[in-house]
Amino acid sequence: MEDQGERGESVFEDIELQIAVLGRNFELLHRRAPATPDVERAEYLLLRVLAKLGPSTVGTLATTLGLDSSTIGRQVSSLEASALAERVADPHDRRRTIVEMTELGRRRMNETSRARTLRTQALLADWNPEDLLTLATMFRRYNAAVTRTYLGEPGALDHQAEGDPEAG
């Protein structure tokens, strides 16, 4: 027998609806959040991956994020134009280039992360610590499942999906 959600639909129908609402809410938060030192969302995630992986090729970044190399190439070009990252010759193979975050990129990523964290803390201020930990764990597990299903392996930011409170 299928588990039932609050409105009598299957638990998977309820989850699907909540994911749709979550996507809409993320857009709402993005549009209505107070001004911050934000970088573009795609650039922010790319900077977070660079911070996790270190200097990387466009191909590695594309594989990690599940995007094609041309998309990552455009995002890297945007980061370069903003002086947040730079392409440098690979010291092991001068024919290849690697992408490195600049000091400005690291600073802007950290500022953006702090501002986003503060907004999240304010939004969830009335939640108890156990529920916050559960939400973080469930988001990591969900993101890891999506990554495994569509990319075949854990991504750079969701590899600790099994509940490490220090992850992410």
Side-chain angles (χ1 to χ4, degrees):
M1 175 166 19
E2 246 181 27
D3 290 337
Q4 297 295 302
E6 288 180 16
R7 291 170 297 282
E9 70 263 7
S10 78
V11 70
F12 292 105
E13 289 171 323
D14 189 28
I15 290 169
E16 181 279 324
L17 174 60
Q18 296 311 315
I19 290 169
V21 172
L22 185 65
R24 193 255 351 250
N25 285 341
F26 286 151
E27 289 299 319
L28 182 66
L29 287 170
H30 180 70
R31 286 192 309 272
R32 296 199 180 165
T36 64
D38 250 357
V39 294
E40 290 296 319
R41 284 182 296 173
E43 293 174 345
Y44 174 72
L45 187 56
L46 185 53
L47 288 170
R48 292 292 303 254
V49 170
L50 278 169
K52 186 82 165 176
L53 297 179
S56 303
T57 66
V58 167
T60 297
L61 295 170
T63 299
T64 301
L65 289 167
L67 298 169
D68 61 74
S69 292
S70 63
T71 299
I72 294 295
R74 286 190 297 277
Q75 290 177 359
V76 168
S77 293
S78 178
L79 289 175
E80 285 181 302
S82 301
L84 302 177
E86 61 187 354
R87 295 179 214 231
V88 297
D90 185 332
H92 304 292
D93 182 351
R94 307 288 293 167
R95 297 169 294 176
R96 292 177 3 146
T97 60
I98 56 175
V99 180
E100 292 183 342
M101 188 177 347
T102 63
E103 218 24 69
L104 175 62
R106 185 169 306 282
R107 191 169 53 252
R108 290 282 304 278
M109 181 199 66
N110 287 333
E111 290 167 358
T112 300
S113 179
R114 276 191 297 279
R116 291 171 62 138
T117 298
L118 289 172
R119 285 195 306 254
T120 301
Q121 286 174 328
L123 186 66
L124 303 177
D126 61 342
W127 287 39
N128 70 54
E130 183 178 292
D131 286 345
L132 292 170
L133 183 57
T134 298
L135 180 65
T137 299
M138 294 298 104
F139 273 146
R140 275 195 306 277
R141 288 181 64 193
Y142 176 79
N143 288 333
V146 169
T147 302
R148 268 192 319 275
T149 299
Y150 293 99
L151 301 179
E153 59 186 53
L157 300 177
D158 61 13
H159 74 283
Q160 296 175 318
E162 293 308 313
D164 178 358
E166 300 299 316

